[in-house]
Amino acid sequence: GENVEQHPSTLSVQEGDSAVIKCTYSDSASNYFPWYKQELGKRPQLIIDIRSNVGEKKDQRIAVTLNKTAKHFSLHITETQPEDSAVYFCAARSGNNNAGNMLTFGGGTRLMVKP
Amino acid sequence: DTAVSQTPKYLVTQMGNDKSIKCEQNLGHDTMYWYKQDSKKFLKIMFSYNNKELIINETVPNRFSPKSPDKAHLNLHINSLELGDSAVYFCASSQTTGELFFGEGSRLTVL
């Protein structure tokens, strides 16, 4: 099955700086890569996603890049704000029908933005 | 209207008991899931069910069983609860290859 590794596990930045979180995946059949943000005591919520036919996607201060050859993808947050503080999860979904459409999540990154 | 709702939100019980968590989605999605989030925040898939096929993560003990009375519901039954079952359990749904929507989570504490 799919295995997703995420780094770093914790990340502390100063307000206004950029934050980068990196993930690798193992299943070359994976074709969908979302990023979820989970605030304390809340449910994970989608913030951005990318599919395998695209190399980069941007939405305001958030961007995601995908390198299919190397099987890694990254989340970039620019001009960080205190409200960006949360746990971020990357995930991968296999295009293999036997995988049941399941998303496999990375271990999470706790981002702390210091004012 | 809550898109994915699960009950109860909190559940405290003794070891050895049997408990259930209910989940309903009103998004018309064709696939529902159960995820377990432990104290270290790892999100682990337990089951995927799309009204035709149940996919079980092989690491899930057979004390856990999903039951789907219809396409909009996927309940989780847990028998003979153990201390290690304490976690937050998230129900989720998606449309085959689309975005995953999570419920609010059910925090299970086994004493």
Side-chain angles (χ1 to χ4, degrees), chain A residues 32 36 38 40-46 49 51 87 89 93 97-108 110, chain B residues 2 4 30-31 33 35 37 40-43 45 47-48 50 53 55 90 94 96-104:
Chain A
Y32 175 64
Y36 282 78
Q38 186 178 26
L40 189 62
K42 303 280 183 69
R43 75 186 85 189
Q45 291 192 290
L46 181 75
D49 57 12
R51 297 191 185 269
V87 178
F89 293 94
R93 173 182 279 147
N97 288 334
N98 293 329
N101 305 319
M102 288 187 284
L103 274 179
T104 300
F105 284 84
R110 185 177 300 278
Chain B
T2 303
V4 182
D30 61 8
T31 308
Y33 314 81
Y35 281 84
Q37 186 170 46
K40 294 184 179 179
K41 301 298 183 187
F42 293 126
L43 269 169
I45 181 70
F47 306 101
S48 161
N50 72 351
E53 190 176 20
I55 305 289
F90 284 99
S94 75
T96 311
T97 58
E99 176 184 349
L100 195 67
F101 288 81
F102 284 92
E104 291 186 343

CSV table of all heavy atoms in Angstrom, one decimal, chain A residues 32 36 38 40-46 49 51 87 89 93 97-108 110, chain B residues 2 4 30-31 33 35 37 40-43 45 47-48 50 53 55 90 94 96-104:
chain,number,residue,atom,x,y,z
A,32,TYR,N,-3.4,12.0,-6.7
A,32,TYR,CA,-4.2,13.1,-6.1
A,32,TYR,C,-3.5,13.4,-4.7
A,32,TYR,O,-3.3,12.5,-3.9
A,32,TYR,CB,-5.6,12.7,-5.9
A,32,TYR,CG,-6.4,13.8,-5.1
A,32,TYR,CD1,-6.6,15.0,-5.6
A,32,TYR,CD2,-7.0,13.5,-3.9
A,32,TYR,CE1,-7.4,16.0,-4.9
A,32,TYR,CE2,-7.7,14.4,-3.2
A,32,TYR,CZ,-7.9,15.6,-3.7
A,32,TYR,OH,-8.6,16.6,-3.0
A,36,TYR,N,-4.2,19.2,4.2
A,36,TYR,CA,-5.3,19.5,5.1
A,36,TYR,C,-4.7,20.3,6.3
A,36,TYR,O,-3.6,20.0,6.7
A,36,TYR,CB,-5.9,18.2,5.7
A,36,TYR,CG,-6.9,17.6,4.7
A,36,TYR,CD1,-6.5,16.9,3.6
A,36,TYR,CD2,-8.3,17.8,4.9
A,36,TYR,CE1,-7.4,16.4,2.7
A,36,TYR,CE2,-9.2,17.3,4.0
A,36,TYR,CZ,-8.8,16.6,2.9
A,36,TYR,OH,-9.7,16.0,2.0
A,38,GLN,N,-5.5,21.3,10.3
A,38,GLN,CA,-6.3,20.9,11.5
A,38,GLN,C,-5.9,21.8,12.6
A,38,GLN,O,-4.8,21.8,13.2
A,38,GLN,CB,-6.1,19.5,11.9
A,38,GLN,CG,-7.0,19.0,13.0
A,38,GLN,CD,-6.8,17.5,13.4
A,38,GLN,OE1,-5.7,17.0,13.2
A,38,GLN,NE2,-7.9,16.9,13.9
A,40,LEU,N,-6.6,23.2,16.5
A,40,LEU,CA,-6.7,22.5,17.8
A,40,LEU,C,-8.2,22.2,18.1
A,40,LEU,O,-9.0,23.0,18.1
A,40,LEU,CB,-6.1,23.3,18.9
A,40,LEU,CG,-6.0,22.6,20.3
A,40,LEU,CD1,-5.0,21.4,20.1
A,40,LEU,CD2,-5.5,23.6,21.3
A,41,GLY,N,-8.5,20.9,18.3
A,41,GLY,CA,-9.8,20.4,18.6
A,41,GLY,C,-10.8,20.4,17.5
A,41,GLY,O,-12.0,20.2,17.7
A,42,LYS,N,-10.3,20.7,16.3
A,42,LYS,CA,-11.2,20.8,15.1
A,42,LYS,C,-11.0,19.6,14.1
A,42,LYS,O,-10.0,18.8,14.3
A,42,LYS,CB,-11.0,22.1,14.4
A,42,LYS,CG,-11.2,23.3,15.2
A,42,LYS,CD,-12.7,23.6,15.4
A,42,LYS,CE,-12.9,24.9,16.2
A,42,LYS,NZ,-12.5,26.1,15.4
A,43,ARG,N,-11.8,19.5,13.1
A,43,ARG,CA,-11.6,18.5,12.1
A,43,ARG,C,-10.6,19.0,11.1
A,43,ARG,O,-10.4,20.2,10.9
A,43,ARG,CB,-12.9,18.3,11.4
A,43,ARG,CG,-13.3,19.4,10.4
A,43,ARG,CD,-14.7,19.2,9.8
A,43,ARG,NE,-15.7,19.7,10.7
A,43,ARG,CZ,-17.1,19.5,10.5
A,43,ARG,NH1,-17.5,18.8,9.5
A,43,ARG,NH2,-17.9,20.1,11.4
A,44,PRO,N,-9.9,18.1,10.4
A,44,PRO,CA,-9.0,18.5,9.3
A,44,PRO,C,-9.9,19.1,8.2
A,44,PRO,O,-10.9,18.5,7.8
A,44,PRO,CB,-8.4,17.2,8.9
A,44,PRO,CG,-8.5,16.2,10.0
A,44,PRO,CD,-9.8,16.6,10.7
A,45,GLN,N,-9.3,20.1,7.5
A,45,GLN,CA,-10.1,20.7,6.4
A,45,GLN,C,-9.1,21.0,5.3
A,45,GLN,O,-7.9,21.4,5.5
A,45,GLN,CB,-10.7,22.1,6.9
A,45,GLN,CG,-11.9,21.8,7.8
A,45,GLN,CD,-12.7,23.1,8.1
A,45,GLN,OE1,-12.2,24.0,8.7
A,45,GLN,NE2,-13.9,23.1,7.6
A,46,LEU,N,-9.6,20.7,4.1
A,46,LEU,CA,-8.8,20.9,2.9
A,46,LEU,C,-8.4,22.3,2.7
A,46,LEU,O,-9.2,23.2,2.7
A,46,LEU,CB,-9.6,20.4,1.7
A,46,LEU,CG,-8.8,20.5,0.3
A,46,LEU,CD1,-7.8,19.4,0.2
A,46,LEU,CD2,-9.8,20.3,-0.8
A,49,ASP,N,-5.2,21.3,-3.1
A,49,ASP,CA,-4.8,20.0,-3.6
A,49,ASP,C,-4.2,20.1,-5.0
A,49,ASP,O,-4.3,21.2,-5.6
A,49,ASP,CB,-6.1,19.1,-3.6
A,49,ASP,CG,-7.2,19.6,-4.4
A,49,ASP,OD1,-7.0,20.6,-5.1
A,49,ASP,OD2,-8.3,19.1,-4.2
A,51,ARG,N,-3.3,17.6,-8.6
A,51,ARG,CA,-3.4,16.3,-9.3
A,51,ARG,C,-2.2,16.0,-10.1
A,51,ARG,O,-1.4,17.0,-10.4
A,51,ARG,CB,-4.7,16.2,-10.1
A,51,ARG,CG,-5.9,16.3,-9.2
A,51,ARG,CD,-7.2,16.0,-10.0
A,51,ARG,NE,-8.4,16.3,-9.1
A,51,ARG,CZ,-8.9,15.4,-8.3
A,51,ARG,NH1,-8.4,14.2,-8.3
A,51,ARG,NH2,-9.9,15.7,-7.5
A,87,VAL,N,-1.9,22.1,12.7
A,87,VAL,CA,-1.2,20.9,12.3
A,87,VAL,C,-1.6,20.8,10.8
A,87,VAL,O,-2.8,20.8,10.4
A,87,VAL,CB,-1.6,19.7,13.1
A,87,VAL,CG1,-0.9,18.4,12.5
A,87,VAL,CG2,-1.2,19.9,14.5
A,89,PHE,N,-1.4,18.4,7.3
A,89,PHE,CA,-1.2,17.0,6.8
A,89,PHE,C,-1.2,17.0,5.3
A,89,PHE,O,-2.0,17.6,4.7
A,89,PHE,CB,-2.4,16.1,7.3
A,89,PHE,CG,-2.5,15.9,8.8
A,89,PHE,CD1,-3.3,16.7,9.5
A,89,PHE,CD2,-1.8,14.8,9.3
A,89,PHE,CE1,-3.4,16.4,10.9
A,89,PHE,CE2,-1.9,14.6,10.7
A,89,PHE,CZ,-2.7,15.4,11.5
A,93,ARG,N,-3.6,9.8,-2.7
A,93,ARG,CA,-4.6,8.8,-3.1
A,93,ARG,C,-4.1,8.1,-4.3
A,93,ARG,O,-3.8,8.7,-5.3
A,93,ARG,CB,-5.9,9.5,-3.4
A,93,ARG,CG,-7.0,8.5,-3.9
A,93,ARG,CD,-8.3,9.3,-4.2
A,93,ARG,NE,-9.1,9.5,-3.0
A,93,ARG,CZ,-9.9,10.6,-2.9
A,93,ARG,NH1,-9.9,11.5,-3.8
A,93,ARG,NH2,-10.6,10.7,-1.8
A,97,ASN,N,-7.7,1.1,-8.4
A,97,ASN,CA,-9.1,0.9,-8.0
A,97,ASN,C,-9.2,0.0,-6.8
A,97,ASN,O,-10.1,0.1,-6.0
A,97,ASN,CB,-9.9,0.3,-9.1
A,97,ASN,CG,-10.2,1.4,-10.2
A,97,ASN,OD1,-10.2,2.6,-9.9
A,97,ASN,ND2,-10.4,0.9,-11.4
A,98,ASN,N,-8.2,-0.9,-6.6
A,98,ASN,CA,-8.2,-1.7,-5.4
A,98,ASN,C,-7.9,-1.0,-4.1
A,98,ASN,O,-8.1,-1.6,-3.0
A,98,ASN,CB,-7.2,-2.9,-5.6
A,98,ASN,CG,-7.6,-3.8,-6.7
A,98,ASN,OD1,-8.8,-4.0,-7.0
A,98,ASN,ND2,-6.7,-4.4,-7.4
A,99,ALA,N,-7.5,0.2,-4.2
A,99,ALA,CA,-7.2,1.0,-3.0
A,99,ALA,C,-8.4,1.6,-2.3
A,99,ALA,O,-8.3,2.2,-1.2
A,99,ALA,CB,-6.2,2.0,-3.3
A,100,GLY,N,-9.6,1.4,-2.9
A,100,GLY,CA,-10.8,1.9,-2.3
A,100,GLY,C,-10.9,3.4,-2.1
A,100,GLY,O,-11.6,3.9,-1.2
A,101,ASN,N,-10.2,4.2,-2.9
A,101,ASN,CA,-10.2,5.6,-2.9
A,101,ASN,C,-9.7,6.2,-1.6
A,101,ASN,O,-9.9,7.4,-1.3
A,101,ASN,CB,-11.7,6.2,-3.1
A,101,ASN,CG,-12.3,5.7,-4.3
A,101,ASN,OD1,-11.7,5.6,-5.4
A,101,ASN,ND2,-13.6,5.3,-4.2
A,102,MET,N,-8.9,5.4,-0.9
A,102,MET,CA,-8.5,5.9,0.4
A,102,MET,C,-7.3,6.9,0.3
A,102,MET,O,-6.5,6.7,-0.5
A,102,MET,CB,-8.0,4.7,1.3
A,102,MET,CG,-9.1,3.8,1.8
A,102,MET,SD,-8.6,2.5,2.9
A,102,MET,CE,-7.8,1.4,1.8
A,103,LEU,N,-7.4,7.9,1.2
A,103,LEU,CA,-6.3,8.8,1.3
A,103,LEU,C,-5.4,8.3,2.4
A,103,LEU,O,-5.8,8.0,3.5
A,103,LEU,CB,-6.8,10.2,1.7
A,103,LEU,CG,-7.2,11.1,0.6
A,103,LEU,CD1,-7.7,12.4,1.3
A,103,LEU,CD2,-6.1,11.4,-0.3
A,104,THR,N,-4.1,8.3,2.1
A,104,THR,CA,-3.1,7.9,3.1
A,104,THR,C,-2.4,9.2,3.5
A,104,THR,O,-1.9,10.0,2.7
A,104,THR,CB,-2.0,7.0,2.5
A,104,THR,OG1,-2.7,5.8,2.1
A,104,THR,CG2,-1.0,6.6,3.6
A,105,PHE,N,-2.4,9.5,4.8
A,105,PHE,CA,-1.9,10.8,5.3
A,105,PHE,C,-0.4,10.6,5.8
A,105,PHE,O,0.0,9.6,6.3
A,105,PHE,CB,-2.7,11.2,6.5
A,105,PHE,CG,-4.1,11.8,6.1
A,105,PHE,CD1,-5.1,11.0,5.8
A,105,PHE,CD2,-4.2,13.2,5.9
A,105,PHE,CE1,-6.4,11.5,5.4
A,105,PHE,CE2,-5.4,13.7,5.5
A,105,PHE,CZ,-6.5,12.9,5.2
A,106,GLY,N,0.3,11.8,5.7
A,106,GLY,CA,1.6,11.9,6.3
A,106,GLY,C,1.4,12.1,7.8
A,106,GLY,O,0.3,12.2,8.3
A,107,GLY,N,2.5,12.1,8.6
A,107,GLY,CA,2.4,12.2,10.0
A,107,GLY,C,2.1,13.5,10.6
A,107,GLY,O,1.9,13.6,11.8
A,108,GLY,N,2.0,14.5,9.8
A,108,GLY,CA,1.6,15.8,10.2
A,108,GLY,C,2.8,16.7,10.6
A,108,GLY,O,3.8,16.2,11.0
A,110,ARG,N,3.3,20.3,12.9
A,110,ARG,CA,2.8,21.3,13.7
A,110,ARG,C,3.5,22.6,13.4
A,110,ARG,O,4.7,22.8,13.7
A,110,ARG,CB,3.0,20.9,15.2
A,110,ARG,CG,2.3,21.9,16.2
A,110,ARG,CD,2.4,21.4,17.6
A,110,ARG,NE,1.8,20.1,17.9
A,110,ARG,CZ,0.5,19.9,18.1
A,110,ARG,NH1,-0.3,21.0,18.1
A,110,ARG,NH2,0.1,18.7,18.3
B,2,THR,N,-25.0,20.4,8.7
B,2,THR,CA,-23.6,19.8,8.7
B,2,THR,C,-23.5,18.7,7.7
B,2,THR,O,-24.4,17.9,7.5
B,2,THR,CB,-23.5,19.1,10.1
B,2,THR,OG1,-23.7,20.1,11.1
B,2,THR,CG2,-22.1,18.6,10.3
B,4,VAL,N,-21.0,16.3,7.2
B,4,VAL,CA,-20.7,15.0,7.7
B,4,VAL,C,-20.9,15.1,9.3
B,4,VAL,O,-20.2,15.9,9.9
B,4,VAL,CB,-19.3,14.5,7.4
B,4,VAL,CG1,-19.1,13.1,8.0
B,4,VAL,CG2,-19.1,14.5,5.9
B,30,ASP,N,-20.3,9.0,-2.7
B,30,ASP,CA,-20.5,7.5,-2.9
B,30,ASP,C,-19.5,6.7,-2.0
B,30,ASP,O,-19.6,5.5,-2.0
B,30,ASP,CB,-20.3,7.2,-4.3
B,30,ASP,CG,-18.9,7.6,-4.9
B,30,ASP,OD1,-18.0,8.0,-4.1
B,30,ASP,OD2,-18.7,7.5,-6.1
B,31,THR,N,-18.6,7.4,-1.3
B,31,THR,CA,-17.6,6.6,-0.5
B,31,THR,C,-17.6,7.2,0.9
B,31,THR,O,-17.5,8.5,1.0
B,31,THR,CB,-16.2,6.6,-1.1
B,31,THR,OG1,-16.4,6.2,-2.5
B,31,THR,CG2,-15.3,5.7,-0.4
B,33,TYR,N,-15.7,6.7,5.0
B,33,TYR,CA,-14.4,6.2,5.6
B,33,TYR,C,-14.5,6.4,7.1
B,33,TYR,O,-15.2,7.3,7.6
B,33,TYR,CB,-13.2,7.0,5.1
B,33,TYR,CG,-13.1,7.3,3.6
B,33,TYR,CD1,-13.9,8.3,3.0
B,33,TYR,CD2,-12.3,6.5,2.8
B,33,TYR,CE1,-13.8,8.6,1.7
B,33,TYR,CE2,-12.2,6.8,1.4
B,33,TYR,CZ,-13.0,7.8,0.9
B,33,TYR,OH,-12.9,8.1,-0.5
B,35,TYR,N,-11.4,7.1,10.0
B,35,TYR,CA,-10.0,7.3,10.3
B,35,TYR,C,-9.9,7.4,11.9
B,35,TYR,O,-10.8,7.8,12.6
B,35,TYR,CB,-9.6,8.7,9.8
B,35,TYR,CG,-9.2,8.6,8.3
B,35,TYR,CD1,-10.2,8.8,7.3
B,35,TYR,CD2,-7.9,8.4,7.9
B,35,TYR,CE1,-9.9,8.8,6.0
B,35,TYR,CE2,-7.6,8.4,6.5
B,35,TYR,CZ,-8.6,8.6,5.6
B,35,TYR,OH,-8.3,8.5,4.2
B,37,GLN,N,-7.4,8.9,14.8
B,37,GLN,CA,-6.3,9.9,15.1
B,37,GLN,C,-5.9,9.7,16.6
B,37,GLN,O,-6.6,9.9,17.5
B,37,GLN,CB,-6.7,11.3,14.9
B,37,GLN,CG,-5.6,12.3,15.1
B,37,GLN,CD,-5.9,13.7,14.6
B,37,GLN,OE1,-7.0,14.2,14.9
B,37,GLN,NE2,-5.0,14.3,13.8
B,40,LYS,N,-0.7,11.2,19.2
B,40,LYS,CA,0.4,11.9,18.4
B,40,LYS,C,-0.1,12.5,17.1
B,40,LYS,O,0.7,13.0,16.3
B,40,LYS,CB,1.5,10.9,18.1
B,40,LYS,CG,2.2,10.3,19.4
B,40,LYS,CD,3.3,9.4,19.0
B,40,LYS,CE,4.0,8.9,20.2
B,40,LYS,NZ,5.1,8.0,19.9
B,41,LYS,N,-1.4,12.5,17.0
B,41,LYS,CA,-2.1,13.2,15.8
B,41,LYS,C,-2.0,12.4,14.5
B,41,LYS,O,-2.4,13.0,13.5
B,41,LYS,CB,-1.5,14.6,15.6
B,41,LYS,CG,-1.7,15.5,16.8
B,41,LYS,CD,-3.2,15.7,17.1
B,41,LYS,CE,-3.4,16.6,18.3
B,41,LYS,NZ,-4.8,16.7,18.7
B,42,PHE,N,-1.4,11.2,14.5
B,42,PHE,CA,-1.4,10.4,13.3
B,42,PHE,C,-2.8,10.1,12.8
B,42,PHE,O,-3.6,9.6,13.6
B,42,PHE,CB,-0.6,9.2,13.4
B,42,PHE,CG,0.9,9.4,13.7
B,42,PHE,CD1,1.5,8.8,14.8
B,42,PHE,CD2,1.6,10.2,12.9
B,42,PHE,CE1,2.8,9.0,15.1
B,42,PHE,CE2,3.0,10.4,13.1
B,42,PHE,CZ,3.6,9.8,14.2
B,43,LEU,N,-3.1,10.3,11.5
B,43,LEU,CA,-4.4,10.0,11.0
B,43,LEU,C,-4.3,8.7,10.2
B,43,LEU,O,-3.6,8.6,9.1
B,43,LEU,CB,-4.8,11.1,10.0
B,43,LEU,CG,-5.7,12.2,10.6
B,43,LEU,CD1,-5.8,13.3,9.5
B,43,LEU,CD2,-7.1,11.8,11.0
B,45,ILE,N,-6.1,5.5,8.2
B,45,ILE,CA,-7.3,4.9,7.6
B,45,ILE,C,-7.7,3.6,8.2
B,45,ILE,O,-6.8,2.8,8.5
B,45,ILE,CB,-7.2,4.8,6.1
B,45,ILE,CG1,-8.4,4.3,5.4
B,45,ILE,CG2,-6.0,3.9,5.7
B,45,ILE,CD1,-9.6,5.3,5.5
B,47,PHE,N,-11.2,2.1,7.4
B,47,PHE,CA,-12.1,1.5,6.5
B,47,PHE,C,-12.4,2.5,5.4
B,47,PHE,O,-12.5,3.7,5.6
B,47,PHE,CB,-13.4,1.0,7.1
B,47,PHE,CG,-13.3,0.2,8.3
B,47,PHE,CD1,-13.4,0.7,9.5
B,47,PHE,CD2,-13.0,-1.2,8.2
B,47,PHE,CE1,-13.3,-0.1,10.7
B,47,PHE,CE2,-12.8,-2.0,9.3
B,47,PHE,CZ,-13.0,-1.5,10.5
B,48,SER,N,-12.7,1.9,4.2
B,48,SER,CA,-13.3,2.6,3.1
B,48,SER,C,-14.5,1.8,2.6
B,48,SER,O,-14.4,0.6,2.4
B,48,SER,CB,-12.2,2.8,2.0
B,48,SER,OG,-12.9,3.1,0.8
B,50,ASN,N,-17.8,1.9,-0.3
B,50,ASN,CA,-18.5,2.7,-1.3
B,50,ASN,C,-19.8,2.0,-1.8
B,50,ASN,O,-20.2,2.2,-2.9
B,50,ASN,CB,-17.6,3.0,-2.5
B,50,ASN,CG,-17.3,1.7,-3.3
B,50,ASN,OD1,-17.7,0.6,-2.9
B,50,ASN,ND2,-16.7,1.8,-4.4
B,53,GLU,N,-18.3,-2.1,-2.0
B,53,GLU,CA,-17.1,-2.8,-1.6
B,53,GLU,C,-16.5,-2.2,-0.3
B,53,GLU,O,-16.5,-1.0,-0.1
B,53,GLU,CB,-16.0,-2.6,-2.7
B,53,GLU,CG,-14.8,-3.4,-2.5
B,53,GLU,CD,-13.8,-3.2,-3.7
B,53,GLU,OE1,-14.0,-2.2,-4.4
B,53,GLU,OE2,-13.0,-4.1,-3.9
B,55,ILE,N,-13.2,-1.9,2.0
B,55,ILE,CA,-11.8,-2.1,2.0
B,55,ILE,C,-11.3,-1.9,3.5
B,55,ILE,O,-11.6,-0.9,4.1
B,55,ILE,CB,-11.0,-1.1,1.1
B,55,ILE,CG1,-11.6,-1.1,-0.3
B,55,ILE,CG2,-9.5,-1.3,1.2
B,55,ILE,CD1,-11.2,-2.4,-1.1
B,90,PHE,N,-12.6,9.8,13.3
B,90,PHE,CA,-13.2,10.7,12.3
B,90,PHE,C,-13.9,9.9,11.2
B,90,PHE,O,-13.3,9.0,10.6
B,90,PHE,CB,-12.1,11.6,11.7
B,90,PHE,CG,-11.6,12.7,12.5
B,90,PHE,CD1,-10.4,12.6,13.2
B,90,PHE,CD2,-12.4,13.9,12.6
B,90,PHE,CE1,-10.0,13.7,14.0
B,90,PHE,CE2,-11.9,15.0,13.4
B,90,PHE,CZ,-10.7,14.8,14.1
B,94,SER,N,-16.4,11.2,0.5
B,94,SER,CA,-15.9,11.8,-0.7
B,94,SER,C,-16.7,11.2,-1.9
B,94,SER,O,-17.3,10.2,-1.8
B,94,SER,CB,-14.4,11.6,-0.9
B,94,SER,OG,-14.1,10.3,-1.3
B,96,THR,N,-15.8,9.5,-4.9
B,96,THR,CA,-14.8,8.7,-5.5
B,96,THR,C,-13.4,9.4,-5.5
B,96,THR,O,-12.6,9.1,-4.6
B,96,THR,CB,-15.2,8.4,-7.0
B,96,THR,OG1,-16.5,7.9,-7.0
B,96,THR,CG2,-14.3,7.3,-7.5
B,97,THR,N,-13.1,10.3,-6.4
B,97,THR,CA,-11.8,10.8,-6.5
B,97,THR,C,-11.7,12.3,-6.0
B,97,THR,O,-10.8,13.0,-6.3
B,97,THR,CB,-11.2,10.7,-7.9
B,97,THR,OG1,-12.1,11.4,-8.8
B,97,THR,CG2,-11.1,9.3,-8.4
B,98,GLY,N,-12.7,12.7,-5.3
B,98,GLY,CA,-12.8,14.1,-4.9
B,98,GLY,C,-12.3,14.4,-3.5
B,98,GLY,O,-11.7,13.5,-2.9
B,99,GLU,N,-12.6,15.6,-3.1
B,99,GLU,CA,-12.1,16.1,-1.8
B,99,GLU,C,-12.8,15.2,-0.7
B,99,GLU,O,-13.9,14.8,-0.7
B,99,GLU,CB,-12.6,17.5,-1.6
B,99,GLU,CG,-12.3,18.1,-0.2
B,99,GLU,CD,-12.8,19.5,-0.1
B,99,GLU,OE1,-13.2,20.1,-1.1
B,99,GLU,OE2,-12.9,20.1,1.0
B,100,LEU,N,-12.0,15.0,0.4
B,100,LEU,CA,-12.4,14.3,1.6
B,100,LEU,C,-13.0,15.3,2.6
B,100,LEU,O,-12.3,16.3,2.9
B,100,LEU,CB,-11.3,13.5,2.2
B,100,LEU,CG,-11.5,12.5,3.2
B,100,LEU,CD1,-12.2,11.3,2.5
B,100,LEU,CD2,-10.2,12.0,3.8
B,101,PHE,N,-14.3,15.0,3.0
B,101,PHE,CA,-14.9,15.9,4.0
B,101,PHE,C,-14.9,15.1,5.3
B,101,PHE,O,-15.5,14.0,5.3
B,101,PHE,CB,-16.3,16.3,3.6
B,101,PHE,CG,-16.3,17.3,2.5
B,101,PHE,CD1,-16.2,16.9,1.2
B,101,PHE,CD2,-16.5,18.6,2.7
B,101,PHE,CE1,-16.2,17.8,0.1
B,101,PHE,CE2,-16.6,19.6,1.7
B,101,PHE,CZ,-16.4,19.1,0.4
B,102,PHE,N,-14.4,15.7,6.4
B,102,PHE,CA,-14.4,15.0,7.7
B,102,PHE,C,-15.6,15.5,8.6
B,102,PHE,O,-16.1,16.6,8.5
B,102,PHE,CB,-13.1,15.4,8.4
B,102,PHE,CG,-11.9,14.7,7.9
B,102,PHE,CD1,-11.1,15.2,7.0
B,102,PHE,CD2,-11.6,13.4,8.4
B,102,PHE,CE1,-10.0,14.6,6.5
B,102,PHE,CE2,-10.4,12.8,8.0
B,102,PHE,CZ,-9.6,13.3,7.0
B,103,GLY,N,-16.0,14.6,9.4
B,103,GLY,CA,-16.9,14.9,10.5
B,103,GLY,C,-16.2,15.6,11.6
B,103,GLY,O,-14.9,15.8,11.5
B,104,GLU,N,-16.8,16.0,12.7
B,104,GLU,CA,-16.2,16.7,13.8
B,104,GLU,C,-15.4,15.8,14.7
B,104,GLU,O,-14.6,16.4,15.5
B,104,GLU,CB,-17.3,17.4,14.6
B,104,GLU,CG,-17.9,18.6,13.8
B,104,GLU,CD,-18.9,19.4,14.7
B,104,GLU,OE1,-19.3,18.9,15.8
B,104,GLU,OE2,-19.2,20.5,14.3
